[in-house]
Amino acid sequence: MSAAPPVISIRGLSHSYGEGEQRRQILRAVDLTVAPGEVVVIGGPSGSGKTTLLTLCGALRSVQEGEVSVAGRGLNGLSADQQRELRGSIGFVFQSHNLIDALTAGQNVVMSLLGRFPPAQAESMAEAALESLGLLSRVDAFPEELSGGERQRVAVARALVRSPELILADEPTASLDNASAAAVIESIKEAARRTSCAVLLVTHDPRVLPIADRSLQLDGGKLFEHAGRINLRSVG
Ligand code: ADP
Ligand code: MG
C-alpha cells in the first residue's frame, strides 16, 4: 500500500433514511480507505446501500454519522456551496451516461471544463481525453450515433478530463454487452494506472471484478471482504 495519504478515508459511517417508525438504517459503521491509484470495487445486492455510500463519498448527500474525508478534505458539516466545490474535483460516471443529446461527444467533454479553461484549451483537452479512450474518430458524433459502450466511454472521458483525484462510478456497465463492458472497465483501469487517481466503483456486475485491486461486498449495511465476509475493521 502506498505511503501517500488516502484519497478516501471513511470511519464509522452510518446512514439512515426516513423518520420515526419509517426510519431504516442502510449503512452501519462502515470503514473504508482508498489509496491513490487504487481501484476498489464494491458489490452487493440491489438495495444494499451501494449508491448511498457512493453519493456520500461524492458530497451528493450529507454525512449523518461518522467521518468521511475525500482528497484530504473532511465532508462533515460542509455547506451546499462547499459540497459543490468538492464535487468539482471528483469525476463521476453513472449507470446511464447522462450525456447531453444536443451536443457532440467532444462538446460533452468540453462542458466539463467550462469556466475552468479557455475554450481552445478545453477543446484540445477534450480531444486528448477522447483519444486516450480510443474515441478520437467519434469526437463529432452525437450521442444517438454512438453505441452504448461508446457513450459510456465518452462519459468516462468527461469524468477524466479534469484530472480528478477520484473517480466515483455507479454501475457503469449495467446496460452494456460484454465487449462494451470490457472496453469501459479497461478504460477506467487504464485511467487509474496512468493518472494515479483512485477509483471507487459500485456494481453488482461480476464482469467488473477483474480490474479491482480490492473487491468488497456491502451486505446488511456492513462492508465485507468479497470472499471472506470479514469486517474490514478487523483487517485494517
Ligand atoms: P443500491 O445502490 O445498493 O441498490 P441504494 O443505496 O440505492 O442501494 O439504496 C439502499 C436502500 O435505501 C434501498 O432500500 C432504497 O430503497 C433506500 N433508499 C435509497 N435512497 C433513498 C432515499 N432518498 N429515501 C429513502 N430511501 C432511500
Ligand atoms: Mg445503486
Side-chain angles (χ1 to χ4, degrees):
M1 178 80 68
S2 164
V7 178
I8 297 181
S9 173
I10 296 176
R11 289 287 166 267
L13 177 66
S14 295
H15 200 86
S16 301
Y17 293 114
E19 299 292 331
E21 286 187 6
Q22 305 295 321
R23 187 175 168 88
R24 283 182 54 222
Q25 188 168 0
I26 305 300
L27 299 177
R28 299 174 187 275
V30 166
D31 294 342
L32 176 66
T33 303
V34 183
E38 192 178 24
V39 178
V40 174
V41 173
I42 295 182
S46 178
S48 58
K50 301 184 297 298
T51 295
T52 301
L53 177 60
L54 205 78
T55 53
L56 284 162
C57 292
L60 290 159
R61 191 180 289 292
S62 297
V63 176
Q64 293 172 347
E65 190 185 336
E67 303 283 326
V68 181
S69 76
V70 169
R73 291 191 49 192
L75 265 58
N76 297 69
L78 293 187
S79 68
D81 278 348
Q82 290 169 319
Q83 288 183 330
R84 198 172 309 120
E85 191 203 327
L86 191 113
R87 289 198 291 271
S89 64
I90 297 171
F92 293 94
V93 183
F94 296 108
Q95 171 172 357
S96 83
H97 50 78
N98 294 325
L99 299 180
I100 299 171
D101 291 333
L103 300 180
T104 65
Q107 289 165 338
N108 266 283
V109 179
V110 164
M111 280 289 284
S112 150
L113 298 168
L114 275 189
R116 296 177 170 233
F117 297 93
Q121 189 181 350
E123 269 174 42
S124 60
M125 289 169 75
E127 283 184 9
L130 287 167
E131 185 172 22
S132 74
L133 290 159
L135 287 169
L136 191 55
S137 65
R138 312 299 277 142
V139 65
D140 293 323
F142 288 91
E144 66 174 20
E145 300 172 313
L146 300 172
S147 70
E150 286 174 332
R151 282 196 285 264
Q152 196 59 298
R153 274 149 64 211
V154 174
V156 173
R158 184 184 51 184
L160 285 175
V161 72
R162 289 192 288 193
S163 303
E165 280 181 70
L166 173 65
I167 292 182
L168 295 175
D170 192 350
E171 310 273 7
T173 57
S175 50
L176 301 180
D177 60 45
N178 283 343
S180 300
V184 167
I185 58 186
E186 191 46 50
S187 71
I188 292 173
K189 177 77 176 176
E190 168 63 14
R193 196 195 57 72
R194 199 177 61 238
T195 69
S196 283
C197 70
V199 176
L200 180 61
L201 190 160
V202 301
T203 187
H204 62 266
D205 184 350
R207 296 176 300 185
V208 176
L209 289 177
I211 67 161
D213 294 317
R214 208 147 42 97
S215 102
L216 306 169
Q217 188 83 359
L218 195 54
D219 206 350
K222 291 196 161 284
L223 262 186
F224 299 93
E225 279 204 341
H226 197 259
R229 303 212 151 203
I230 301 162
N231 189 320
L232 264 189
R233 270 182 294 182
S234 64
V235 295

